[in-house]
Amino acid sequence: MSGFTSQPDQDFGVRIHEALEDAELRESFHGAMTFLREKRRSQFPDPDALENLRDSGAAIRDRALAKLPDLLEQLEDRCRHNGIQVHWAETSDEANAIITGLIQSVHGQRIVKGKSMATEEIGLNTALEAAGFTCLESDMGEYIVQQAGETPSHIIMPAIHRNKASIARQFADQIPDTPYTEDVDELIGTGRRVLRQAFAHADVGISGVNFAIAETGTLCLVENEGNGRMSTTVPDTHIAVMGIEKVIEKLADLPDLMRLLPRSATGQAITTYINLISGPRRDDECDGPRQVHLVLVDNGRSRIYADRELRATLRCIRCGACMNHCPVYERLGGHAYGTVYPGPIGQVVMPQLFGLDKAGKLTQACSLNGACGEACPVRIPLPDLIRRLRHEGVTDDPASPVRGHGRQRQASEALIWRVWATIHAHPRLYRLVTRLATRSRRLLPPLPRAWTARRARLEPAPRSFHEQMAQRRQTEPRP
Amino acid sequence: MTKAAVDRVYLFGTCLIDVFHPEAGMATVRLLEREGVEVIFPPEQTCCGQPPYNSGYDDQARTVARQVVERFAEPIPVIVPSGSCAGMLRHHYPDLLADDPLADAARDLAARTYELHEFLHRILAVKLEDHGEPVTVVMHTACSARREMGVREDGLALLGQLANVTVCEPENAEACCGFGGTFAVKMPEISVAMASDKCQAVRASGADQLLSSDCGCLLNIDGMLRKQGNALPAHHLATFLWERTGGAS
């Protein structure tokens, strides 16, 4: 199914267990996340400057979202003026049909794709395969996972779960005339050779879009390997795919976002390539695509947009800083989530795009420690949104704006909280319960094994604080 | 609010202190009283409502939150010896009760809510004198104290006043200990993985004692260390501060 690498809620517990049992995986993620956090920190040495920049980033994204319908119209208008053909897709199926149709219309045979989460989200590769096309991933990480029949485990570093030995084996097995080597430079050289061949003969290049600038009708793509530039320059047809929220108002908004994105993502001051695409090849130009298409994908975003609080979800610039700082992601890795977007942003985006009935359980895999919200360069209040979605998951309000609302509600849990609220709303009852807990410790219902399996039994104090204070009031009268 | 202006405060005792660490509550009262501050402890208080709130049961959380707002109505500071409960009152009550008749009162309560160590350090500017033997402590600052309330420095500054106390933080100090309220029982495997790493870092610090200003974290880390059979004395920061500075309980 598009957007999912499996049914996220189904077997989530099994995947958690497997991930935690995999010592190598835990080690890799711990090392990688620590490295990335430190690199990011070193890029923002001045905390005040970072906070100012985050304010600016959040304001730019909020301003764009506040005017989203108008900006999308302006973007369409400016793009058309520049010679970019614009297509609208409400669902992933529509988007896939549009892209397949475009490839067929130019009799495309050899398709390369730059890194794009939007195309992962809509399940483009699967749709193209069903239509008889093969699309080669040209980002090195994406190439590795595609060749292995896997999915990305991180939105910025798709193959971060893999080590060099396993990639060495894979290349030796699957790429003809490739000797086994764990030399990283040689491995990259091998991948490059394959990809260069593919670029040279590609007739269709597919890419994502980091930001689309409404004012000028410009598509901005950020990348490190040059594959994005190759995919969008060499083939005669370039198809760019973006979620509708990626539009920004002005070219002048771009520098601050560029100060935030690579530093938050990979801890780089700037990426190797920032591609600004403003149209197909002109008559006096010697290279570039003959056709440029922009596919604007909604796929549930309008629904997110309609709720004032949840709208902050759409500020996301897909840097991955939230997952790099998430203690749960660090221990599970991306695949355990079973979703295209893993980690905190995935826990917020996926249940909204695909429904709480399918992905609501993801919202439980969070201790609300706040590290993601602190790291987010555009100040998405991720912990608040995760908590909000937990509420939508268990609410019995039929007017809830989130698809699949109430589907996480379990009668037993709802009963526990009703009883809990009754006790805590009646101080005499509360005192009775705490008295029982402190006096008759053996009578306490045993705590779930979930707690006691690895922790000592909780021991209530012999006299509660309330009791001690009551006694103090009698024996030590205050002035 | 200046020091001179504070002669009376409310104490919100928290349910975990009530049942598991009453001595931290008593230490809180005495630390405040020593500064000449009268401590009012409304006996009808129970919990802040955070457990159901974090689980998404807003109605149940609201039922309890309304009572807190009503029982702490006088316009004096509310002192909370826990970062996460203080965070609940300060940052979440205004949203939770936004459409309630008590909305204004909730915002007012939020504005005069303080985490204990923040209040001792920033508002009362307490001066502490260490009466204890040399000791090394490892301080775990809870995520909500660190991020939501921003009071990590206050706890460390108070400890820093104690001449014979060497303070360290566990490696990867900003990492969550894995408690997260109901998270610990809803996602036990992930919680245990996080708690194990925290316990290892606490042990590796080589400290003689574990301190935290949040009972949830303390129950989690201390509970696991005890199960592992290598616990070290674990105290709420208020208890430690009171005992070091000559307080007899």
PDB file of all heavy atoms in Angstrom, chain A residues 123-156:
ATOM      1  N   GLY A 123       4.049   5.653  -3.430  1.00  0.00           N
ATOM      2  CA  GLY A 123       4.349   4.307  -3.930  1.00  0.00           C
ATOM      3  C   GLY A 123       4.581   4.287  -5.432  1.00  0.00           C
ATOM      4  O   GLY A 123       4.135   3.373  -6.143  1.00  0.00           O
ATOM      5  N   LEU A 124       5.315   5.282  -5.916  1.00  0.00           N
ATOM      6  CA  LEU A 124       5.481   5.432  -7.361  1.00  0.00           C
ATOM      7  C   LEU A 124       6.192   4.241  -8.007  1.00  0.00           C
ATOM      8  O   LEU A 124       5.765   3.758  -9.055  1.00  0.00           O
ATOM      9  CB  LEU A 124       6.246   6.735  -7.665  1.00  0.00           C
ATOM     10  CG  LEU A 124       6.532   6.988  -9.141  1.00  0.00           C
ATOM     11  CD1 LEU A 124       5.231   7.155  -9.940  1.00  0.00           C
ATOM     12  CD2 LEU A 124       7.415   8.228  -9.320  1.00  0.00           C
ATOM     13  N   ASN A 125       7.258   3.770  -7.383  1.00  0.00           N
ATOM     14  CA  ASN A 125       8.020   2.678  -8.007  1.00  0.00           C
ATOM     15  C   ASN A 125       7.140   1.456  -8.264  1.00  0.00           C
ATOM     16  O   ASN A 125       7.208   0.834  -9.327  1.00  0.00           O
ATOM     17  CB  ASN A 125       9.209   2.276  -7.130  1.00  0.00           C
ATOM     18  CG  ASN A 125      10.335   3.310  -7.206  1.00  0.00           C
ATOM     19  OD1 ASN A 125      10.230   4.284  -7.944  1.00  0.00           O
ATOM     20  ND2 ASN A 125      11.384   3.097  -6.449  1.00  0.00           N
ATOM     21  N   THR A 126       6.315   1.118  -7.284  1.00  0.00           N
ATOM     22  CA  THR A 126       5.419  -0.029  -7.430  1.00  0.00           C
ATOM     23  C   THR A 126       4.419   0.214  -8.552  1.00  0.00           C
ATOM     24  O   THR A 126       4.144  -0.680  -9.372  1.00  0.00           O
ATOM     25  CB  THR A 126       4.664  -0.265  -6.105  1.00  0.00           C
ATOM     26  OG1 THR A 126       5.601  -0.202  -5.037  1.00  0.00           O
ATOM     27  CG2 THR A 126       3.962  -1.603  -6.091  1.00  0.00           C
ATOM     28  N   ALA A 127       3.878   1.432  -8.595  1.00  0.00           N
ATOM     29  CA  ALA A 127       2.900   1.759  -9.638  1.00  0.00           C
ATOM     30  C   ALA A 127       3.547   1.688 -11.016  1.00  0.00           C
ATOM     31  O   ALA A 127       2.937   1.191 -11.979  1.00  0.00           O
ATOM     32  CB  ALA A 127       2.320   3.144  -9.395  1.00  0.00           C
ATOM     33  N   LEU A 128       4.786   2.182 -11.126  1.00  0.00           N
ATOM     34  CA  LEU A 128       5.465   2.147 -12.430  1.00  0.00           C
ATOM     35  C   LEU A 128       5.751   0.709 -12.842  1.00  0.00           C
ATOM     36  O   LEU A 128       5.594   0.357 -14.022  1.00  0.00           O
ATOM     37  CB  LEU A 128       6.770   2.955 -12.372  1.00  0.00           C
ATOM     38  CG  LEU A 128       6.615   4.480 -12.284  1.00  0.00           C
ATOM     39  CD1 LEU A 128       7.985   5.157 -12.240  1.00  0.00           C
ATOM     40  CD2 LEU A 128       5.796   5.023 -13.463  1.00  0.00           C
ATOM     41  N   GLU A 129       6.146  -0.105 -11.878  1.00  0.00           N
ATOM     42  CA  GLU A 129       6.386  -1.516 -12.188  1.00  0.00           C
ATOM     43  C   GLU A 129       5.131  -2.171 -12.717  1.00  0.00           C
ATOM     44  O   GLU A 129       5.170  -2.928 -13.681  1.00  0.00           O
ATOM     45  CB  GLU A 129       6.857  -2.269 -10.941  1.00  0.00           C
ATOM     46  CG  GLU A 129       8.369  -2.303 -10.793  1.00  0.00           C
ATOM     47  CD  GLU A 129       8.785  -2.775  -9.403  1.00  0.00           C
ATOM     48  OE1 GLU A 129       8.148  -3.711  -8.890  1.00  0.00           O
ATOM     49  OE2 GLU A 129       9.722  -2.174  -8.853  1.00  0.00           O
ATOM     50  N   ALA A 130       4.006  -1.861 -12.086  1.00  0.00           N
ATOM     51  CA  ALA A 130       2.732  -2.440 -12.516  1.00  0.00           C
ATOM     52  C   ALA A 130       2.412  -2.013 -13.941  1.00  0.00           C
ATOM     53  O   ALA A 130       1.745  -2.741 -14.696  1.00  0.00           O
ATOM     54  CB  ALA A 130       1.629  -2.012 -11.559  1.00  0.00           C
ATOM     55  N   ALA A 131       2.892  -0.818 -14.323  1.00  0.00           N
ATOM     56  CA  ALA A 131       2.639  -0.326 -15.676  1.00  0.00           C
ATOM     57  C   ALA A 131       3.739  -0.781 -16.656  1.00  0.00           C
ATOM     58  O   ALA A 131       3.764  -0.374 -17.806  1.00  0.00           O
ATOM     59  CB  ALA A 131       2.534   1.200 -15.663  1.00  0.00           C
ATOM     60  N   GLY A 132       4.675  -1.581 -16.169  1.00  0.00           N
ATOM     61  CA  GLY A 132       5.708  -2.132 -17.049  1.00  0.00           C
ATOM     62  C   GLY A 132       6.990  -1.312 -17.132  1.00  0.00           C
ATOM     63  O   GLY A 132       7.815  -1.521 -18.019  1.00  0.00           O
ATOM     64  N   PHE A 133       7.149  -0.370 -16.220  1.00  0.00           N
ATOM     65  CA  PHE A 133       8.370   0.451 -16.244  1.00  0.00           C
ATOM     66  C   PHE A 133       9.276   0.097 -15.075  1.00  0.00           C
ATOM     67  O   PHE A 133       8.813  -0.292 -14.011  1.00  0.00           O
ATOM     68  CB  PHE A 133       8.028   1.938 -16.135  1.00  0.00           C
ATOM     69  CG  PHE A 133       7.223   2.463 -17.291  1.00  0.00           C
ATOM     70  CD1 PHE A 133       5.872   2.751 -17.129  1.00  0.00           C
ATOM     71  CD2 PHE A 133       7.817   2.668 -18.527  1.00  0.00           C
ATOM     72  CE1 PHE A 133       5.125   3.234 -18.192  1.00  0.00           C
ATOM     73  CE2 PHE A 133       7.073   3.154 -19.591  1.00  0.00           C
ATOM     74  CZ  PHE A 133       5.727   3.434 -19.425  1.00  0.00           C
ATOM     75  N   THR A 134      10.576   0.265 -15.289  1.00  0.00           N
ATOM     76  CA  THR A 134      11.514   0.137 -14.182  1.00  0.00           C
ATOM     77  C   THR A 134      12.133   1.506 -13.945  1.00  0.00           C
ATOM     78  O   THR A 134      12.568   2.164 -14.893  1.00  0.00           O
ATOM     79  CB  THR A 134      12.636  -0.853 -14.537  1.00  0.00           C
ATOM     80  OG1 THR A 134      12.022  -2.066 -14.947  1.00  0.00           O
ATOM     81  CG2 THR A 134      13.525  -1.105 -13.334  1.00  0.00           C
ATOM     82  N   CYS A 135      12.127   1.924 -12.691  1.00  0.00           N
ATOM     83  CA  CYS A 135      12.651   3.239 -12.366  1.00  0.00           C
ATOM     84  C   CYS A 135      13.851   3.055 -11.458  1.00  0.00           C
ATOM     85  O   CYS A 135      13.736   2.489 -10.376  1.00  0.00           O
ATOM     86  CB  CYS A 135      11.550   4.044 -11.682  1.00  0.00           C
ATOM     87  SG  CYS A 135      12.081   5.630 -11.114  1.00  0.00           S
ATOM     88  N   LEU A 136      15.001   3.516 -11.909  1.00  0.00           N
ATOM     89  CA  LEU A 136      16.227   3.310 -11.130  1.00  0.00           C
ATOM     90  C   LEU A 136      16.441   4.456 -10.148  1.00  0.00           C
ATOM     91  O   LEU A 136      16.470   5.620 -10.545  1.00  0.00           O
ATOM     92  CB  LEU A 136      17.426   3.212 -12.077  1.00  0.00           C
ATOM     93  CG  LEU A 136      18.768   2.932 -11.382  1.00  0.00           C
ATOM     94  CD1 LEU A 136      18.834   1.491 -10.895  1.00  0.00           C
ATOM     95  CD2 LEU A 136      19.929   3.248 -12.316  1.00  0.00           C
ATOM     96  N   GLU A 137      16.589   4.088  -8.875  1.00  0.00           N
ATOM     97  CA  GLU A 137      16.894   5.092  -7.867  1.00  0.00           C
ATOM     98  C   GLU A 137      18.352   5.526  -8.046  1.00  0.00           C
ATOM     99  O   GLU A 137      19.249   4.681  -8.133  1.00  0.00           O
ATOM    100  CB  GLU A 137      16.709   4.516  -6.465  1.00  0.00           C
ATOM    101  CG  GLU A 137      15.279   4.183  -6.118  1.00  0.00           C
ATOM    102  CD  GLU A 137      14.399   5.407  -5.907  1.00  0.00           C
ATOM    103  OE1 GLU A 137      14.941   6.531  -5.845  1.00  0.00           O
ATOM    104  OE2 GLU A 137      13.169   5.234  -5.808  1.00  0.00           O
ATOM    105  N   SER A 138      18.595   6.839  -8.058  1.00  0.00           N
ATOM    106  CA  SER A 138      19.955   7.290  -8.355  1.00  0.00           C
ATOM    107  C   SER A 138      20.671   7.935  -7.174  1.00  0.00           C
ATOM    108  O   SER A 138      21.844   8.253  -7.254  1.00  0.00           O
ATOM    109  CB  SER A 138      19.938   8.255  -9.548  1.00  0.00           C
ATOM    110  OG  SER A 138      19.294   9.443  -9.186  1.00  0.00           O
ATOM    111  N   ASP A 139      19.963   8.145  -6.078  1.00  0.00           N
ATOM    112  CA  ASP A 139      20.654   8.532  -4.834  1.00  0.00           C
ATOM    113  C   ASP A 139      21.357   7.273  -4.343  1.00  0.00           C
ATOM    114  O   ASP A 139      20.777   6.185  -4.364  1.00  0.00           O
ATOM    115  CB  ASP A 139      19.615   9.021  -3.817  1.00  0.00           C
ATOM    116  CG  ASP A 139      20.196   9.235  -2.422  1.00  0.00           C
ATOM    117  OD1 ASP A 139      20.257   8.260  -1.655  1.00  0.00           O
ATOM    118  OD2 ASP A 139      20.580  10.376  -2.125  1.00  0.00           O
ATOM    119  N   MET A 140      22.611   7.394  -3.899  1.00  0.00           N
ATOM    120  CA  MET A 140      23.383   6.185  -3.569  1.00  0.00           C
ATOM    121  C   MET A 140      22.683   5.333  -2.510  1.00  0.00           C
ATOM    122  O   MET A 140      22.595   4.114  -2.644  1.00  0.00           O
ATOM    123  CB  MET A 140      24.785   6.570  -3.100  1.00  0.00           C
ATOM    124  CG  MET A 140      25.750   5.410  -2.990  1.00  0.00           C
ATOM    125  SD  MET A 140      26.092   4.610  -4.581  1.00  0.00           S
ATOM    126  CE  MET A 140      27.057   5.900  -5.394  1.00  0.00           C
ATOM    127  N   GLY A 141      22.171   5.995  -1.489  1.00  0.00           N
ATOM    128  CA  GLY A 141      21.474   5.253  -0.442  1.00  0.00           C
ATOM    129  C   GLY A 141      20.215   4.576  -0.968  1.00  0.00           C
ATOM    130  O   GLY A 141      19.932   3.413  -0.676  1.00  0.00           O
ATOM    131  N   GLU A 142      19.464   5.319  -1.760  1.00  0.00           N
ATOM    132  CA  GLU A 142      18.233   4.774  -2.343  1.00  0.00           C
ATOM    133  C   GLU A 142      18.561   3.620  -3.298  1.00  0.00           C
ATOM    134  O   GLU A 142      17.844   2.623  -3.356  1.00  0.00           O
ATOM    135  CB  GLU A 142      17.482   5.866  -3.125  1.00  0.00           C
ATOM    136  CG  GLU A 142      16.892   6.951  -2.262  1.00  0.00           C
ATOM    137  CD  GLU A 142      15.441   6.661  -1.844  1.00  0.00           C
ATOM    138  OE1 GLU A 142      14.902   5.596  -2.186  1.00  0.00           O
ATOM    139  OE2 GLU A 142      14.866   7.520  -1.146  1.00  0.00           O
ATOM    140  N   TYR A 143      19.644   3.789  -4.045  1.00  0.00           N
ATOM    141  CA  TYR A 143      20.074   2.739  -4.975  1.00  0.00           C
ATOM    142  C   TYR A 143      20.366   1.448  -4.206  1.00  0.00           C
ATOM    143  O   TYR A 143      19.950   0.369  -4.600  1.00  0.00           O
ATOM    144  CB  TYR A 143      21.305   3.234  -5.737  1.00  0.00           C
ATOM    145  CG  TYR A 143      22.001   2.181  -6.575  1.00  0.00           C
ATOM    146  CD1 TYR A 143      21.397   1.673  -7.730  1.00  0.00           C
ATOM    147  CD2 TYR A 143      23.259   1.711  -6.217  1.00  0.00           C
ATOM    148  CE1 TYR A 143      22.038   0.712  -8.492  1.00  0.00           C
ATOM    149  CE2 TYR A 143      23.908   0.755  -6.977  1.00  0.00           C
ATOM    150  CZ  TYR A 143      23.295   0.256  -8.114  1.00  0.00           C
ATOM    151  OH  TYR A 143      23.923  -0.709  -8.865  1.00  0.00           O
ATOM    152  N   ILE A 144      21.061   1.610  -3.075  1.00  0.00           N
ATOM    153  CA  ILE A 144      21.413   0.426  -2.274  1.00  0.00           C
ATOM    154  C   ILE A 144      20.158  -0.267  -1.743  1.00  0.00           C
ATOM    155  O   ILE A 144      20.016  -1.481  -1.859  1.00  0.00           O
ATOM    156  CB  ILE A 144      22.359   0.835  -1.111  1.00  0.00           C
ATOM    157  CG1 ILE A 144      23.727   1.230  -1.664  1.00  0.00           C
ATOM    158  CG2 ILE A 144      22.510  -0.301  -0.094  1.00  0.00           C
ATOM    159  CD1 ILE A 144      24.624   1.983  -0.676  1.00  0.00           C
ATOM    160  N   VAL A 145      19.230   0.507  -1.188  1.00  0.00           N
ATOM    161  CA  VAL A 145      18.042  -0.147  -0.630  1.00  0.00           C
ATOM    162  C   VAL A 145      17.142  -0.702  -1.738  1.00  0.00           C
ATOM    163  O   VAL A 145      16.534  -1.761  -1.586  1.00  0.00           O
ATOM    164  CB  VAL A 145      17.225   0.754   0.334  1.00  0.00           C
ATOM    165  CG1 VAL A 145      18.011   1.073   1.589  1.00  0.00           C
ATOM    166  CG2 VAL A 145      16.759   2.015  -0.310  1.00  0.00           C
ATOM    167  N   GLN A 146      17.078   0.005  -2.865  1.00  0.00           N
ATOM    168  CA  GLN A 146      16.253  -0.515  -3.959  1.00  0.00           C
ATOM    169  C   GLN A 146      16.799  -1.847  -4.465  1.00  0.00           C
ATOM    170  O   GLN A 146      16.058  -2.807  -4.670  1.00  0.00           O
ATOM    171  CB  GLN A 146      16.200   0.493  -5.120  1.00  0.00           C
ATOM    172  CG  GLN A 146      15.278   0.029  -6.254  1.00  0.00           C
ATOM    173  CD  GLN A 146      15.331   0.951  -7.467  1.00  0.00           C
ATOM    174  OE1 GLN A 146      16.396   1.475  -7.825  1.00  0.00           O
ATOM    175  NE2 GLN A 146      14.181   1.152  -8.109  1.00  0.00           N
ATOM    176  N   GLN A 147      18.106  -1.888  -4.635  1.00  0.00           N
ATOM    177  CA  GLN A 147      18.732  -3.112  -5.135  1.00  0.00           C
ATOM    178  C   GLN A 147      18.513  -4.283  -4.159  1.00  0.00           C
ATOM    179  O   GLN A 147      18.381  -5.431  -4.565  1.00  0.00           O
ATOM    180  CB  GLN A 147      20.242  -2.863  -5.299  1.00  0.00           C
ATOM    181  CG  GLN A 147      20.952  -3.941  -6.084  1.00  0.00           C
ATOM    182  CD  GLN A 147      22.439  -3.617  -6.186  1.00  0.00           C
ATOM    183  OE1 GLN A 147      23.108  -3.449  -5.184  1.00  0.00           O
ATOM    184  NE2 GLN A 147      22.929  -3.537  -7.408  1.00  0.00           N
ATOM    185  N   ALA A 148      18.428  -3.949  -2.875  1.00  0.00           N
ATOM    186  CA  ALA A 148      18.233  -4.984  -1.861  1.00  0.00           C
ATOM    187  C   ALA A 148      16.759  -5.329  -1.661  1.00  0.00           C
ATOM    188  O   ALA A 148      16.419  -6.197  -0.864  1.00  0.00           O
ATOM    189  CB  ALA A 148      18.837  -4.521  -0.538  1.00  0.00           C
ATOM    190  N   GLY A 149      15.888  -4.633  -2.388  1.00  0.00           N
ATOM    191  CA  GLY A 149      14.458  -4.884  -2.220  1.00  0.00           C
ATOM    192  C   GLY A 149      13.920  -4.349  -0.895  1.00  0.00           C
ATOM    193  O   GLY A 149      12.912  -4.822  -0.386  1.00  0.00           O
ATOM    194  N   GLU A 150      14.623  -3.359  -0.357  1.00  0.00           N
ATOM    195  CA  GLU A 150      14.197  -2.769   0.916  1.00  0.00           C
ATOM    196  C   GLU A 150      13.576  -1.390   0.675  1.00  0.00           C
ATOM    197  O   GLU A 150      13.493  -0.915  -0.442  1.00  0.00           O
ATOM    198  CB  GLU A 150      15.412  -2.568   1.838  1.00  0.00           C
ATOM    199  CG  GLU A 150      16.067  -3.841   2.325  1.00  0.00           C
ATOM    200  CD  GLU A 150      17.226  -3.524   3.265  1.00  0.00           C
ATOM    201  OE1 GLU A 150      17.930  -2.515   3.053  1.00  0.00           O
ATOM    202  OE2 GLU A 150      17.397  -4.283   4.199  1.00  0.00           O
ATOM    203  N   THR A 151      13.217  -0.774   1.790  1.00  0.00           N
ATOM    204  CA  THR A 151      12.730   0.597   1.740  1.00  0.00           C
ATOM    205  C   THR A 151      13.674   1.462   2.589  1.00  0.00           C
ATOM    206  O   THR A 151      14.414   0.930   3.402  1.00  0.00           O
ATOM    207  CB  THR A 151      11.316   0.694   2.340  1.00  0.00           C
ATOM    208  OG1 THR A 151      11.337   0.108   3.645  1.00  0.00           O
ATOM    209  CG2 THR A 151      10.310  -0.028   1.461  1.00  0.00           C
ATOM    210  N   PRO A 152      13.658   2.778   2.379  1.00  0.00           N
ATOM    211  CA  PRO A 152      14.531   3.646   3.177  1.00  0.00           C
ATOM    212  C   PRO A 152      14.173   3.550   4.668  1.00  0.00           C
ATOM    213  O   PRO A 152      13.006   3.397   5.014  1.00  0.00           O
ATOM    214  CB  PRO A 152      14.223   5.050   2.660  1.00  0.00           C
ATOM    215  CG  PRO A 152      13.596   4.854   1.323  1.00  0.00           C
ATOM    216  CD  PRO A 152      12.887   3.540   1.391  1.00  0.00           C
ATOM    217  N   SER A 153      15.192   3.649   5.522  1.00  0.00           N
ATOM    218  CA  SER A 153      14.929   3.592   6.957  1.00  0.00           C
ATOM    219  C   SER A 153      15.076   4.962   7.609  1.00  0.00           C
ATOM    220  O   SER A 153      14.917   5.101   8.802  1.00  0.00           O
ATOM    221  CB  SER A 153      15.866   2.598   7.642  1.00  0.00           C
ATOM    222  OG  SER A 153      17.204   3.000   7.478  1.00  0.00           O
ATOM    223  N   HIS A 154      15.391   5.950   6.779  1.00  0.00           N
ATOM    224  CA  HIS A 154      15.537   7.324   7.277  1.00  0.00           C
ATOM    225  C   HIS A 154      15.212   8.206   6.090  1.00  0.00           C
ATOM    226  O   HIS A 154      15.492   7.830   4.955  1.00  0.00           O
ATOM    227  CB  HIS A 154      16.978   7.547   7.761  1.00  0.00           C
ATOM    228  CG  HIS A 154      17.207   8.847   8.473  1.00  0.00           C
ATOM    229  ND1 HIS A 154      17.246  10.062   7.838  1.00  0.00           N
ATOM    230  CD2 HIS A 154      17.420   9.114   9.792  1.00  0.00           C
ATOM    231  CE1 HIS A 154      17.470  11.018   8.733  1.00  0.00           C
ATOM    232  NE2 HIS A 154      17.576  10.461   9.927  1.00  0.00           N
ATOM    233  N   ILE A 155      14.631   9.379   6.333  1.00  0.00           N
ATOM    234  CA  ILE A 155      14.202  10.162   5.178  1.00  0.00           C
ATOM    235  C   ILE A 155      15.358  10.893   4.496  1.00  0.00           C
ATOM    236  O   ILE A 155      15.247  11.289   3.340  1.00  0.00           O
ATOM    237  CB  ILE A 155      13.058  11.153   5.536  1.00  0.00           C
ATOM    238  CG1 ILE A 155      13.528  12.238   6.502  1.00  0.00           C
ATOM    239  CG2 ILE A 155      11.849  10.418   6.092  1.00  0.00           C
ATOM    240  CD1 ILE A 155      12.508  13.350   6.678  1.00  0.00           C
ATOM    241  N   ILE A 156      16.463  11.076   5.207  1.00  0.00           N
ATOM    242  CA  ILE A 156      17.618  11.744   4.602  1.00  0.00           C
ATOM    243  C   ILE A 156      18.696  10.734   4.227  1.00  0.00           C
ATOM    244  O   ILE A 156      19.370  10.875   3.209  1.00  0.00           O
ATOM    245  CB  ILE A 156      18.221  12.778   5.579  1.00  0.00           C
ATOM    246  CG1 ILE A 156      17.193  13.830   5.945  1.00  0.00           C
ATOM    247  CG2 ILE A 156      19.460  13.435   4.985  1.00  0.00           C
ATOM    248  CD1 ILE A 156      16.691  14.647   4.803  1.00  0.00           C
TER     249      ILE A 156
END
